[in-house]
Amino acid sequence: MATSNAFAGADLELIDIRKDFPGFTALDDMDLTIPAGQFFALLGPSGCGKTTTLRIVAGLETPTQGQVMLGGKDITSAKPHERPINTVFQSYALFPHMTVLDNVAFGLRQRKVADAQKLAEDALNLVELGHLGDRRPQQLSGGQQQRVALARALVNRPSLLLLDEPLGALDLKLRRQMQIELKAIQLEVGLTFLHVTHDQEEAMDMADIVAVMNKGRIEQMGAPEVLYDRPKTVFVSKFLGQSNLFVGEVVEKNATSVSIEVGGNKITVDKKRAEKHTGKIAIGVRPEKADFHEKKPKLGSDHIVIGPGEIIDIRFTGVSNQYLIDIPNVGEVTVFAQNVGKSPEIALGANVYVSWKVEHSYGLADLPSGSEEE
Amino acid sequence: MAFAAFGGGAPAKDNSASRKGGPIVLALLLPGMIYLGLFFMTPLLSLLVTALESPDPSGAIGAYFYDVNFGNFLTVVTSYWPQILRSFGYAFAATVFALAISYPLAYFIGVKLRTSPLIQRLLLTLVIAPFFISFLLRTIAWKQLLSDDSAFVSLLHALNILGPTQFFIGSDAAVIFGLTYNFIPFMTLPLFTNLERLDTRLLEAASDLYASPNKVFRKVTLPLSMPGIISGTLLTFIPIAGDYVNASRDFLGSSKTSMIGTMVEADFLQNWNYPSASALSVLLMGLILVMVTFYVRKSGTDDLL
Amino acid sequence: MNQNQPEDPQLREVVKSALSSKVTRRAVIGGAIATSAAALLAACSPGGGKKTLKPAKDISATDKQVTWDNWPYYMDGEDGSFPSLKAFQKESGIKVHYNIKIDDNNTYFALIKNQLASGQDTGADTMCLTDWMVARLIDNGYVRELDYSLMPNVTKYLNSAYKDQFGSFDPGRKYSLPWKGIIATIGYHKANYKKLTGKDAPTSVEDLWDPRLKGKVEVLSEMRDTLGVMMMADGIDITKFTSDEFYATLDKFKKHVSSGQIRSIKGNSYIDDFKNGDAVAGIIWAGDLIGANIELGSEDLGVVLVETGSTFACDNFVIPMGSPHFANAEAIIDNYFRPEVSAQVALAGVYYVEPVDGVKEIVTAKEPALGSNPLMFPTAEMFATKLKQFRALTASEDKDFSKAWSDASNGVV
């Protein structure tokens, strides 16, 4: 039975974790450290291994190899009920045969905490459901159930709180509201949160650190803004927001930058923002960092200009317009332009040049699929 | 009504559909009502009428006249109270044994084998398979297998569990064994249908909330499987209390294992004492109804799901 | 008739019409709804007292068939060949439906009692039932007086012992005729008996109460056989005993049941218990053990005719009031009183006592060992001294003794 429940949370460390299921490997050599008190998000598409990771941390799955450390202690072989970790399940998993209050008090009663009733009531009040304590879970709405599940986990003051896509079943509006509440609660109680989600906006919005997972591995980890600004792999650049990617041989290299040639255009990236400096590499830029011009702009070497190409699609998305420009020998490039009434209006079929600042380029470690053989 | 427990589900809150009625609904209900009237209500009332008959003054065996003689009930209670108590004692013991055997079995088949539906179905078939053979034949087979010269009884003698002049057939244990064996599927199947639907995520949630495996079972699995346990225990207890085959002297019983059913059989077939047999049957029904109502109330099935 | 029906005149009328199965619409409407409902229920429920029944119209001459219900192991060719039945069918032109339908007097009676009581056709034109059951049927007026003029062979070959000595329940055999006689006596498993007691064979009823046989004694559930044998051992004449004598022996029986000396009391399947070791000695039907030995091809089981006497009872033909084939039934009964036909049945393996004179001679000629077996063909001396029939009981004795016996067998204190 867990005895130490650090109020401030504890470091979680996954060392060289591997998990094999019959027929496939869900996790492969996974290393991960989550510092105490962080709101950490594991982001990835379904089937990437993020839920398996969470279940290994909770003790619901045993890793094939590797170690799970919590607050410096090896808990790899500890049973779920022996770990000072609680989970908010995707399905909420509220006990249908108990009242809401009894659900919340369940963990406290198992640990024979004095005053379980009072603490459970407080936890329900924290999620603003104090008045529904004697209802059955199935009498509550989805959002309310989610909050009960949260209260049921939080009331135990675990060293680590695991959230398994807890907002997945809620509608958009409720989801936003819950995201704000969750973040507020995390700040208030100061626990370590490990949040698993496939919703990149949710992850970026709430987490201090986001780890992007793909095919059983962590592709990249960091603060949301860093991940967005400098994705290191094709997967991360596409999973987090949108990317324009250009693939070509390095044709020019100097002390600070690397350039490739794509369809007669030179595309440059700062050396320190590029993972690879030789051979065939991929360089990307975010659509909102790019701009387009009807005439070839005269810009310094701190800018990249490519084109011309034809505008083949325009989408109005409200605050910005999304232009799709087809540049011969380069491919399609997406550009977001703020909808600020700029004139003259650019029409479909117009020929334009695309530009962006070199400092916004990023060089990736891998190449988009299908371009390796070129 | 107590039998709502068999449904296991939540009571329907919205009955508006059935309230609409109409001639079609009535027409659909009619065959069922006629069936119930003809094959349930009529025999039941006939039984009640018979239970109140008095012996013919001529003293002829098997001759009775219509009367309102509640004395029959008093007579059967005063003469057969040991058999009545024994019936419920056997039924209780056999139900407990059946539950103890069926629960782990049903849990294993319904929960642990979810990932291999083929083996699951195979095992389920094995549970039911003996029932393709007649109840009587199976019981007679057990009588042979457990006879005095059998290996089983020799073992009991060798282990000094039974004295040299004690034997298994005809003992309380033999009858309880037979009852347990014969009614186990009525316990296993409702438990299985319940446990098959058990949400294992709730068990994970409980262990995540510091409950040891033992506590997970007591606090979550067991309460969630209560509807299955209740229907299983009712489906075994009720027929066992009225069984007369296992305890019969021709099967696993002896003169010392007579149950209510034995006495109903004796009164009806041998003594031609139809009022006594009927009064005993009515009494059995009444006692079971009272017990079941109390049991279902007590275990609070309406709290479950 | 009136004494058996409700006192309320209105209800009585309705009940009467219901019982006579002539419930007219008017009669039902005439009664109050409650009473008519009660009447309908009453019509379905057992009960109702004695009625004077009349024989059904005999259509034998135009409907050449007869149905006979009997016990198992009572006919030659029970695998379905039935040679003696086929021969009769051919000779008489009467189609025979032979049903092996009786394995217990009471359960069989329960099947047909409503038809019997109302004088309707039970489906069988004749059936063979044990003495005491026949006595009840005669008492209740359910069976038809026989016409001996149609049965020349009966008149000629019926062994005289069966008329009075073993027909006390039916003086002059007016309503019933014996099919086979059954001796109840002591039987034992030779090897197991020797193993437990060290003796070769039991010689008296007292030997059954040897403590070394505790739990291994099995007796018949037929009161008249088990108690009859025990009463004779107590020196009681079972052809004329008092009720006190009956209860005195019954008390002994109860004592042996509650001590566990007698473990089992059975009506059938008891032979299996002797085979599998559950029973070593007891009171049994001699014919069953002879049959079992022959079936097993061994001499494992032994039968002892004890000095104090054995009971003798018969299964008897009766013809229910409702039978529409009275003459056909008498024809087939008469057929089996022909010595050569009965001998054919005996030689085919029906090892019970033959009530037909002349059978012994035919059997002895073909199989001397069988012909000289006193358990199949008791001598006149045995009939006179060793074999006794339990006396006919009055209705109230029948009722009280049966109840006392049933309670003792079921352990009701």
XYZ file of all heavy atoms in Angstrom, chain A residues 8-65:
426
model
N 3.551 17.528 -3.694
C 4.041 18.312 -4.824
C 4.231 17.447 -6.054
O 4.650 17.931 -7.079
C 5.362 18.972 -4.457
N 3.915 16.149 -5.959
C 4.141 15.291 -7.105
C 5.556 14.761 -7.101
O 6.384 15.173 -6.285
N 5.814 13.808 -7.987
C 7.141 13.192 -8.031
C 7.568 13.044 -9.473
O 6.742 13.015 -10.379
C 7.108 11.831 -7.338
N 8.892 12.954 -9.646
C 9.420 12.732 -10.997
C 9.009 11.352 -11.472
O 9.056 10.395 -10.713
C 10.957 12.737 -10.974
C 11.489 14.117 -10.678
O 10.668 15.050 -10.604
O 12.716 14.235 -10.508
N 8.651 11.265 -12.752
C 8.404 9.951 -13.337
C 9.487 9.724 -14.384
O 9.797 10.601 -15.184
C 7.036 9.900 -14.008
C 6.768 8.600 -14.764
C 6.484 7.460 -13.821
C 5.601 8.773 -15.743
N 10.068 8.550 -14.328
C 11.115 8.248 -15.278
C 10.845 6.885 -15.903
O 10.667 5.904 -15.192
C 12.450 8.216 -14.536
C 13.612 8.632 -15.394
C 14.908 8.609 -14.573
O 14.834 8.714 -13.327
O 15.957 8.457 -15.182
N 10.764 6.865 -17.230
C 10.634 5.586 -17.928
C 11.971 5.307 -18.583
O 12.497 6.156 -19.309
C 9.541 5.648 -18.995
C 8.133 5.969 -18.514
C 7.159 5.928 -19.699
C 7.680 5.001 -17.440
N 12.540 4.138 -18.273
C 13.864 3.840 -18.795
C 13.792 2.633 -19.709
O 13.439 1.534 -19.285
C 14.841 3.561 -17.631
C 14.858 4.750 -16.671
C 16.245 3.262 -18.176
C 15.495 4.457 -15.342
N 14.072 2.895 -20.977
C 14.248 1.809 -21.947
C 13.067 0.836 -21.955
O 13.232 -0.372 -21.935
C 15.543 1.044 -21.566
C 16.042 0.209 -22.743
O 15.587 0.498 -23.874
O 16.840 -0.707 -22.512
N 11.867 1.399 -21.978
C 10.670 0.557 -21.898
C 10.346 -0.055 -23.261
O 10.351 0.624 -24.272
C 9.446 1.382 -21.429
C 9.637 1.909 -20.012
C 8.167 0.563 -21.563
C 9.340 0.939 -18.922
N 10.040 -1.354 -23.194
C 9.587 -2.035 -24.400
C 8.353 -2.833 -24.022
O 8.274 -3.415 -22.939
C 10.690 -2.979 -24.875
C 10.339 -3.710 -26.147
C 11.459 -4.719 -26.469
N 11.029 -5.536 -27.590
C 11.239 -5.199 -28.867
N 11.905 -4.098 -29.153
N 10.798 -5.980 -29.829
N 7.377 -2.804 -24.899
C 6.185 -3.603 -24.632
C 5.792 -4.338 -25.899
O 5.473 -3.720 -26.920
C 5.029 -2.698 -24.158
C 3.727 -3.450 -23.925
C 3.796 -4.411 -22.750
C 2.542 -5.249 -22.625
N 2.647 -6.255 -21.560
N 5.842 -5.651 -25.810
C 5.425 -6.470 -26.948
C 4.057 -7.064 -26.666
O 3.805 -7.571 -25.575
C 6.418 -7.631 -27.156
C 7.780 -7.133 -27.597
O 7.809 -6.129 -28.346
O 8.806 -7.720 -27.185
N 3.191 -6.987 -27.655
C 1.940 -7.733 -27.601
C 2.043 -8.822 -28.646
O 2.851 -8.718 -29.561
C 0.748 -6.814 -27.903
C 0.412 -5.880 -26.781
C 0.658 -4.518 -26.899
C -0.135 -6.353 -25.599
C 0.360 -3.651 -25.859
C -0.437 -5.489 -24.567
C -0.182 -4.141 -24.690
N 1.240 -9.859 -28.542
C 1.318 -10.906 -29.571
C 1.156 -10.282 -30.953
O 0.145 -9.653 -31.239
C 0.139 -11.826 -29.238
C -0.146 -11.569 -27.803
C 0.239 -10.160 -27.535
N 2.178 -10.385 -31.777
C 2.067 -9.911 -33.147
C 2.570 -8.497 -33.406
O 2.799 -8.128 -34.543
N 2.735 -7.697 -32.355
C 3.294 -6.362 -32.622
C 3.958 -5.772 -31.379
O 3.733 -6.222 -30.265
C 2.233 -5.413 -33.180
C 1.243 -4.925 -32.154
C 1.352 -3.633 -31.626
C 0.200 -5.739 -31.714
C 0.442 -3.187 -30.697
C -0.709 -5.294 -30.785
C -0.592 -4.013 -30.272
N 4.769 -4.795 -31.633
C 5.465 -4.117 -30.547
C 4.812 -2.764 -30.349
O 4.784 -1.929 -31.261
C 6.946 -3.944 -30.912
O 7.502 -5.247 -31.072
C 7.694 -3.216 -29.811
N 4.234 -2.552 -29.176
C 3.511 -1.308 -28.928
C 4.483 -0.195 -28.541
O 4.279 0.962 -28.911
C 2.475 -1.521 -27.843
N 5.513 -0.542 -27.794
C 6.489 0.461 -27.364
C 7.875 -0.098 -27.617
O 8.124 -1.281 -27.407
C 6.351 0.757 -25.868
C 5.083 1.454 -25.416
C 5.115 1.613 -23.905
C 4.939 2.791 -26.094
N 8.758 0.799 -28.059
C 10.086 0.333 -28.428
C 11.117 1.280 -27.845
O 11.161 2.454 -28.222
C 10.160 0.293 -29.969
C 11.301 -0.568 -30.430
O 12.001 -1.134 -29.570
O 11.488 -0.651 -31.654
N 11.902 0.787 -26.910
C 12.999 1.568 -26.326
C 12.575 2.967 -25.931
O 13.124 3.964 -26.390
C 14.179 1.659 -27.314
C 14.739 0.286 -27.591
O 14.610 -0.582 -26.707
O 15.265 0.085 -28.700
N 11.603 3.025 -25.128
C 11.037 4.327 -24.787
C 11.719 4.861 -23.527
O 11.788 4.179 -22.510
C 9.549 4.101 -24.542
C 8.892 5.199 -23.814
S 7.663 5.868 -24.886
C 6.711 6.739 -23.709
N 12.223 6.058 -23.644
C 12.801 6.754 -22.497
C 12.051 8.047 -22.325
O 11.783 8.756 -23.283
C 14.282 7.062 -22.728
C 15.123 5.812 -22.595
O 15.230 5.298 -21.469
O 15.623 5.341 -23.636
N 11.702 8.337 -21.067
C 10.881 9.527 -20.841
C 11.078 9.969 -19.406
O 11.104 9.146 -18.493
C 9.417 9.165 -21.077
C 8.374 10.259 -20.923
C 8.557 11.296 -22.024
C 6.978 9.650 -21.018
N 11.254 11.254 -19.228
C 11.356 11.778 -17.871
C 10.364 12.916 -17.724
O 10.312 13.812 -18.563
C 12.774 12.291 -17.578
O 13.676 11.224 -17.789
C 12.882 12.760 -16.141
N 9.558 12.833 -16.695
C 8.595 13.905 -16.438
C 8.936 14.493 -15.078
O 8.801 13.835 -14.055
C 7.164 13.363 -16.446
C 6.869 12.692 -17.788
C 6.183 14.471 -16.147
C 5.524 12.016 -17.837
N 9.390 15.732 -15.052
C 9.760 16.351 -13.781
C 8.535 16.602 -12.921
O 7.433 16.794 -13.438
C 10.409 17.680 -14.198
C 10.615 17.597 -15.670
C 9.620 16.628 -16.198
N 8.738 16.595 -11.626
C 7.640 16.799 -10.689
C 6.941 18.122 -10.951
O 7.578 19.120 -11.311
C 8.173 16.759 -9.265
N 5.636 18.114 -10.791
C 4.850 19.339 -10.891
C 4.554 19.779 -12.311
O 3.907 20.801 -12.527
N 4.969 19.008 -13.287
C 4.726 19.383 -14.678
C 3.365 18.900 -15.148
O 2.866 17.893 -14.678
C 5.778 18.710 -15.573
C 7.173 19.238 -15.420
C 7.430 20.420 -16.338
O 6.498 20.962 -16.927
N 8.680 20.838 -16.425
N 2.840 19.626 -16.109
C 1.689 19.136 -16.868
C 2.270 18.620 -18.165
O 2.707 19.380 -19.011
C 0.687 20.265 -17.118
C -0.670 19.765 -17.537
C -1.812 20.172 -16.856
C -0.818 18.884 -18.605
C -3.065 19.715 -17.226
C -2.069 18.432 -18.969
C -3.195 18.845 -18.286
N 2.298 17.317 -18.269
C 2.983 16.679 -19.388
C 1.966 16.009 -20.299
O 1.094 15.287 -19.833
C 3.958 15.633 -18.835
C 4.917 15.076 -19.849
C 6.212 15.572 -19.939
C 4.536 14.060 -20.701
C 7.102 15.058 -20.870
C 5.418 13.551 -21.645
C 6.705 14.043 -21.732
N 2.079 16.277 -21.596
C 1.126 15.649 -22.518
C 1.846 14.680 -23.438
O 2.906 14.985 -23.965
C 0.412 16.708 -23.339
N 1.254 13.513 -23.574
C 1.716 12.543 -24.567
C 0.744 12.654 -25.723
O -0.435 12.368 -25.585
C 1.634 11.137 -24.005
C 2.878 10.489 -23.421
C 2.550 9.068 -23.001
C 4.036 10.522 -24.393
N 1.279 13.096 -26.873
C 0.414 13.377 -28.010
C 0.738 12.417 -29.137
O 1.906 12.159 -29.417
C 0.656 14.827 -28.448
C -0.067 15.316 -29.691
C -1.566 15.378 -29.444
C 0.456 16.694 -30.084
N -0.290 11.900 -29.750
C -0.033 11.029 -30.887
C -1.316 10.491 -31.451
O -2.365 10.571 -30.811
N -1.235 9.960 -32.659
C -2.448 9.395 -33.255
C -2.801 8.085 -32.546
O -1.987 7.537 -31.817
C -2.037 9.124 -34.699
C -0.570 8.912 -34.631
C -0.069 9.755 -33.508
N -4.008 7.599 -32.784
C -4.382 6.368 -32.103
C -3.500 5.229 -32.595
O -3.123 5.177 -33.758
C -5.864 6.056 -32.342
O -6.111 5.937 -33.714
N -3.126 4.375 -31.666
C -2.267 3.249 -32.009
C -0.791 3.571 -31.922
O 0.042 2.740 -32.258
N -0.455 4.775 -31.420
C 0.956 5.148 -31.381
C 1.644 4.627 -30.138
O 2.844 4.720 -29.994
C 1.113 6.656 -31.466
S 0.618 7.492 -29.956
N 0.868 4.089 -29.177
C 1.489 3.555 -27.964
C 1.325 4.448 -26.754
O 1.806 4.118 -25.676
N 0.609 5.553 -26.916
C 0.520 6.470 -25.778
C -0.325 5.889 -24.644
O 0.030 6.034 -23.470
C -0.018 7.844 -26.222
C -1.394 7.810 -26.888
C -1.717 9.174 -27.482
C -3.181 9.309 -27.883
N -3.631 8.335 -28.896
N -1.401 5.192 -24.997
C -2.227 4.601 -23.935
C -1.494 3.451 -23.255
O -1.581 3.273 -22.042
C -3.577 4.149 -24.510
O -4.278 5.314 -24.953
C -4.418 3.442 -23.474
N -0.726 2.693 -24.044
C 0.072 1.617 -23.453
C 1.065 2.194 -22.447
O 1.257 1.650 -21.351
C 0.801 0.838 -24.557
O -0.155 0.389 -25.498
C 1.559 -0.343 -23.990
N 1.693 3.296 -22.824
C 2.625 3.961 -21.907
C 1.927 4.300 -20.602
O 2.410 4.010 -19.507
C 3.147 5.262 -22.551
O 3.628 4.964 -23.851
C 4.243 5.869 -21.701
N 0.751 4.884 -20.743
C -0.007 5.291 -19.565
C -0.353 4.092 -18.697
O -0.233 4.138 -17.473
C -1.276 5.990 -20.043
C -2.099 6.633 -18.945
C -1.896 8.132 -18.999
C -3.565 6.313 -19.098
N -0.760 2.998 -19.351
C -1.153 1.810 -18.589
C 0.049 1.172 -17.894
O -0.083 0.598 -16.817
C -1.850 0.798 -19.508
C -3.255 1.271 -19.927
C -3.882 0.351 -20.956
N -4.081 -0.986 -20.422
C -5.117 -1.340 -19.666
N -6.039 -0.449 -19.381
N -5.231 -2.563 -19.208
N 1.218 1.294 -18.521
C 2.430 0.771 -17.869
C 2.736 1.609 -16.636
O 3.085 1.089 -15.578
C 3.600 0.747 -18.870
C 3.382 -0.397 -19.857
C 4.932 0.611 -18.132
C 4.382 -0.445 -20.982
N 2.551 2.913 -16.769
C 2.808 3.792 -15.622
C 1.816 3.478 -14.500
O 2.185 3.404 -13.330
C 2.730 5.276 -16.049
C 2.837 6.169 -14.827
C 3.818 5.603 -17.053
N 0.571 3.238 -14.879
C -0.455 2.957 -13.866
C -0.271 1.573 -13.260
O -0.825 1.269 -12.204
C -1.843 3.067 -14.490
N 0.464 0.714 -13.948
C 0.656 -0.646 -13.446
C -0.360 -1.614 -14.017
O -0.432 -2.762 -13.596
N -1.158 -1.168 -14.974
C -2.189 -2.041 -15.549
C -1.606 -2.945 -16.633
O -2.226 -3.912 -17.036
C -3.346 -1.208 -16.112
C -4.047 -0.330 -15.066
C -5.015 0.637 -15.722
C -4.769 -1.188 -14.034
N -0.413 -2.581 -17.124
C 0.313 -3.463 -18.034
C 1.731 -3.595 -17.485
O 2.242 -2.666 -16.854
C 0.420 -2.865 -19.449
C -0.889 -2.570 -20.134
C -1.553 -3.772 -20.750
O -0.987 -4.883 -20.674
O -2.663 -3.607 -21.298
N 2.334 -4.738 -17.735
C 3.718 -4.936 -17.320
C 4.599 -4.774 -18.543
O 4.328 -5.390 -19.578
C 3.911 -6.349 -16.758
O 2.810 -6.626 -15.909
C 5.195 -6.474 -15.983
N 5.633 -3.957 -18.469
C 6.499 -3.801 -19.650
C 7.272 -5.086 -19.905
O 7.616 -5.812 -18.982
C 7.423 -2.655 -19.267
C 7.404 -2.596 -17.782
C 6.059 -3.115 -17.354
N 7.545 -5.349 -21.188
C 8.336 -6.517 -21.547
C 9.766 -6.338 -21.042
O 10.405 -7.279 -20.609
C 8.326 -6.701 -23.078
O 6.976 -6.624 -23.528
C 8.916 -8.030 -23.479
N 10.227 -5.093 -21.141
C 11.525 -4.791 -20.532
C 11.540 -3.338 -20.115
O 10.672 -2.566 -20.513
C 12.665 -5.084 -21.509
C 12.702 -4.105 -22.666
C 13.958 -4.259 -23.510
O 14.325 -5.359 -23.871
N 14.611 -3.149 -23.829
